Amino acid sequence: IPIPVLTVQTAPFEDQRPGTNGLRRKTAVFEGKKNYLQNYIQSVLSSIDLRDRQGCTMVVGSDGRYFSRAATEVIVQMAAANGIGRLVIGHNGLLSTPAVSCIIRKIKAIGGIILTASHNPGGPSGDFGIKFNVANGGPSPDTVMERIHQVSRTLEEYAICPDLRIDLSRLGRQEFDLENKFKPFRVEIVDSVEVYLQLLRNIFDFNAIKSLLTGQDQVKIHIDAMNGVMGPYVRRILCDELGAPANSAVNCVPLEDFGGRPPEPNLTYATSLVDAMKGGDFGFGAAFDADGDRYMILGENGFFVNPSDSVAIMAANLSTIPYFRQLGVKGFARSMATSTALDRVAKAMKLALYETPTGWRYFGNLMDSGRCSLCGEESFGTGSDHIREKDGLWSVLIWLSIMAARKQGVEQIVREHWAKFGRNYFCRFDYEGLDPRAAFYLMRDLETVISGKAFTNQKFAVGDHIYSVERADNFEYIDPVDGTVARNQGLRIIFTDAARLVFRMSGSGGGMGATIRIYAENFERDPERQNRETQVVLGPLIAIALKLSNIHERTGRRGPNVIT
């Protein structure tokens, strides 16, 4: 008997405008508000032109967080009802974000839906998110996000096949006959790792990495998957393929609440990795976030690699990777808030450097048009044109490849890089959960101050150091590919000695309040002065930032929630 297709009446929600990483809300909103999930999925499906939608293929994956299975079931039932021809879904619903990007590109799907809230906490009281990636494998561009939002504001009904049931644990193809549909609807449950592993095999010299991890002078590694989606990838690729001992990978079982801690790979939350590395037994350590696109790298004794340095060091060593030797290196890109360490490498290599707003979708256009080979953000994400997402495990394999080629440890590689190019001291202060109005007016008033004629050439004396303003602006980006303009992307103050201050406000997602981030950067050419404490070096700049913005007085805070 063919499965019936139902049309269900609904009413629109006002708050379904996706942000940089899709729609993120408290899990209780998706789980508890009637039709909230269905409305948004219908808005995503309806944003695809009807002609393109009929019979097309889409990819679905999740980071395994609580509510993912229930949501995947609804997505399958609604995709079928909306004329999608085939869904490719990871085993047990699990696919890392890089793997989704990889599969979309490989099978030429029209797009993919990823259930993740990245490094946000999971579980019933945590967060849930839905991200829509387009045909190039990358996040939705602004035009697509706007289309989804417009549909969501006027939505009156959605289509669903409530009787359609799939078994996410059974690998292989399942077919369903639907009412009024000529062709059966197909669901393929695929191995979560296989296609992505094949891609990595073609990028790296697996033998070189394997001898680093298993040879005479083997490097002992410690990898923390933080109970997110990366467990199966780490075990299969680093342990089975590349020979790392099984006990070098920890927290590899995906859990719905990530073991009760935020799956965020930084010094604040990946404390078990930090402690393990400080013991001195391991030469290389890494942690991944829930969906596997972000990473943190630590060297022996817990030596921390700043993400802005990480992308610059990769750039300077790309010739060690077969993929880049074969295809050549086209150019580099970074988000505006990321340190200018990458710029110095680009200059030395005589390659273009693109400075973009925050959000991986801006890199997609650059890569699609052949302008960019490697890109990175200060928020622990790096990637290349092999896919259209940031890629944590790829980043780890780049580092291991560099270590194998140079026969050096993490700290030595970083220090030699600083000696050659100079060191960009960098840190970020996050003020989270602020009253959105207070945050908005703070940013508005700060912009008024830095836009005044008198501000350029202003001097700030802190201790024995004088900082002179060279220029200040509200960053806007003109896309070199299609000419679209993104305005209001952050306030930046650039000083004459290459020091910088950046202020950014990020959206008030799901009633979580607003966040203001302050970034400070100071360049040090002298190798004798490259071993100082970051907070000591940046203290004077932070003092200027606090004074200019008045953030503590205006928000009633004593300090930031997080310092990275």
Side-chain angles (χ1 to χ4, degrees):
I1 311 158
I3 295 170
V5 178
L6 268 56
T7 303
V8 181
Q9 302 308 299
T10 187
F13 292 96
E14 278 305 301
D15 66 342
Q16 293 197 330
R17 176 193 283 277
T20 305
N21 293 302
L23 187 73
R24 281 188 198 169
R25 296 287 178 260
K26 287 282 167 210
T27 308
V29 173
F30 281 106
E31 192 177 24
K33 259 194 191 176
K34 186 175 160 61
N35 291 340
Y36 195 86
L37 169 71
Q38 288 83 349
N39 274 32
Y40 190 67
I41 298 300
Q42 186 61 58
S43 302
V44 167
L45 295 171
S46 297
S47 76
I48 305 168
D49 196 292
L50 195 61
R51 289 182 304 253
D52 298 331
R53 209 189 317 159
Q54 294 305 319
C56 76
T57 297
M58 283 181 76
V59 180
V60 180
S62 84
D63 62 12
R65 68 181 57 232
Y66 174 79
F67 193 58
S68 294
R69 270 183 183 261
T72 301
E73 210 152 278
V74 170
I75 289 167
V76 174
Q77 294 170 347
M78 291 185 66
N82 278 277
I84 306 288
R86 170 172 76 137
L87 288 185
V88 173
I89 310 177
H91 193 208
N92 294 317
L94 299 176
L95 281 174
S96 72
T97 291
V100 171
S101 187
C102 162
I103 294 171
I104 290 173
R105 294 172 65 80
K106 172 136 173 113
I107 67 175
K108 299 190 166 46
I110 199 160
I113 293 175
I114 311 173
L115 304 175
T116 179
S118 191
H119 52 284
N120 292 24
S125 61
D127 298 336
F128 191 76
I130 302 176
K131 196 173 142 170
F132 178 55
N133 280 25
V134 290
N136 74 347
S140 303
D142 292 343
T143 46
V144 175
M145 293 201 289
E146 194 45 48
R147 228 170 26 237
I148 294 170
H149 181 225
Q150 289 310 333
V151 176
S152 78
R153 289 175 60 186
T154 54
L155 195 73
E156 291 177 353
E157 57 183 41
Y158 62 84
I160 190 164
C161 298
D163 300 344
L164 200 159
R165 293 268 176 267
I166 55 154
D167 181 357
L168 291 174
S169 65
R170 198 178 94 225
L171 287 169
R173 184 188 293 185
Q174 304 167 38
E175 293 202 343
F176 305 90
D177 286 316
L178 308 181
E179 235 173 39
N180 312 332
K181 300 268 194 276
F182 299 115
K183 285 187 172 161
F185 171 68
R186 276 167 50 190
V187 175
E188 284 173 38
I189 310 292
V190 298
D191 183 289
S192 303
V193 184
E194 192 54 48
V195 178
Y196 174 71
L197 167 58
Q198 292 293 0
L199 177 70
L200 295 182
R201 268 203 197 100
N202 293 329
I203 294 174
F204 296 100
D205 178 350
F206 269 27
N207 289 332
I209 301 174
K210 192 167 186 168
S211 35
L212 177 77
L213 300 181
T214 60
Q216 297 282 223
D217 311 312
Q218 75 178 76
V219 172
K220 287 180 74 179
I221 66 174
H222 188 77
I223 310 291
D224 189 340
M226 297 192 87
N227 298 114
V229 80
M230 287 307 290
Y233 295 85
V234 168
R235 283 191 168 149
R236 182 91 165 272
I237 297 171
L238 280 170
C239 302
D240 300 351
E241 280 286 318
L242 294 168
N247 63 1
S248 49
V250 300
N251 298 318
C252 283
V253 177
L255 298 174
E256 291 198 328
D257 68 345
F258 311 117
R261 52 180 183 177
E264 182 156 13
N266 62 23
L267 297 171
T268 309
Y269 293 114
T271 43
S272 62
L273 173 72
V274 174
D275 295 341
M277 292 306 295
K278 281 186 174 157
D281 294 338
F282 303 103
F284 179 90
F288 300 108
D289 72 345
D291 64 321
D293 58 355
R294 297 173 198 238
Y295 68 102
M296 174 174 73
I297 283 173
L298 299 177
E300 200 169 352
N301 304 317
F303 180 84
F304 172 66
V305 181
N306 184 294
S308 295
D309 281 342
S310 183
V311 67
I313 290 162
M314 288 179 186
N317 291 280
L318 284 184
S319 60
T320 61
I321 314 295
Y323 176 86
F324 295 104
R325 281 205 300 274
Q326 283 152 14
L327 295 177
V329 180
K330 300 168 190 108
F332 302 132
R334 63 167 175 82
S335 63
M336 183 272 283
T338 302
S339 94
T340 55
L342 182 61
D343 308 35
R344 296 177 187 280
V345 178
K347 197 175 168 188
M349 293 174 71
K350 298 188 170 59
L351 288 169
L353 183 284
Y354 299 91
E355 187 176 25
T356 68
T358 297
W360 209 260
R361 61 189 184 279
Y362 294 103
F363 297 138
N365 262 3
L366 296 172
M367 294 190 279
D368 288 347
S369 65
R371 283 172 166 83
C372 171
S373 295
L374 175 80
C375 40
E377 295 187 329
E378 44 69 37
S379 51
F380 297 84
T382 320
S384 87
D385 57 358
H386 69 293
I387 53 171
R388 294 294 179 270
E389 280 282 6
K390 42 190 180 266
D391 192 340
L393 186 52
W394 173 92
S395 302
V396 162
L397 295 186
I398 292 267
W399 267 94
L400 293 172
S401 302
I402 295 170
M403 289 169 71
R406 297 183 55 148
K407 300 184 168 42
Q408 290 176 324
V410 174
E411 184 170 350
Q412 195 182 353
I413 290 168
V414 174
R415 292 197 182 282
E416 283 191 13
H417 183 90
W418 289 340
K420 183 173 177 184
F421 294 97
R423 176 174 183 184
N424 294 75
Y425 285 98
F426 180 87
C427 81
R428 175 180 115 187
F429 279 34
D430 293 4
Y431 293 84
E432 297 169 344
L434 302 175
D435 169 39
R437 284 191 54 171
F440 172 82
Y441 287 117
L442 183 155
M443 291 295 284
R444 196 191 64 177
D445 294 348
L446 179 58
E447 181 170 7
T448 306
V449 170
I450 72 165
S451 307
K453 285 235 178 339
F455 190 72
T456 308
N457 303 323
Q458 191 168 330
K459 291 179 169 44
F460 295 91
V462 186
D464 58 353
H465 200 97
I466 294 174
Y467 292 89
S468 307
V469 176
E470 187 175 288
R471 59 194 176 95
D473 63 4
N474 184 337
F475 179 62
E476 72 169 43
Y477 176 67
I478 302 171
D479 192 306
V481 182
D482 58 23
T484 50
V485 182
R487 295 193 170 82
N488 294 318
Q489 295 299 320
L491 305 177
R492 55 180 180 173
I493 304 168
I494 295 156
F495 299 92
T496 49
D497 55 359
R500 287 196 322 161
L501 279 174
V502 172
F503 300 82
R504 276 186 63 244
M505 182 168 87
S506 36
S508 42
M512 303 177 204
T515 298
I516 288 180
R517 306 188 202 279
I518 302 177
Y519 308 79
E521 173 181 2
N522 206 349
F523 178 65
E524 183 54 73
R525 162 62 70 202
D526 181 1
E528 296 298 307
R529 297 174 63 81
Q530 287 175 356
N531 201 12
R532 298 162 68 207
E533 201 53 56
T534 298
Q535 293 304 323
V536 174
V537 174
L538 297 174
L541 272 172
I542 297 287
I544 295 170
L546 298 181
K547 188 178 167 199
L548 275 174
S549 64
N550 239 335
I551 190 164
H552 291 168
E553 292 74 4
R554 296 185 67 150
T555 61
R557 296 291 175 89
R558 284 182 155 163
N561 302 64
V562 183
I563 299 179
T564 335

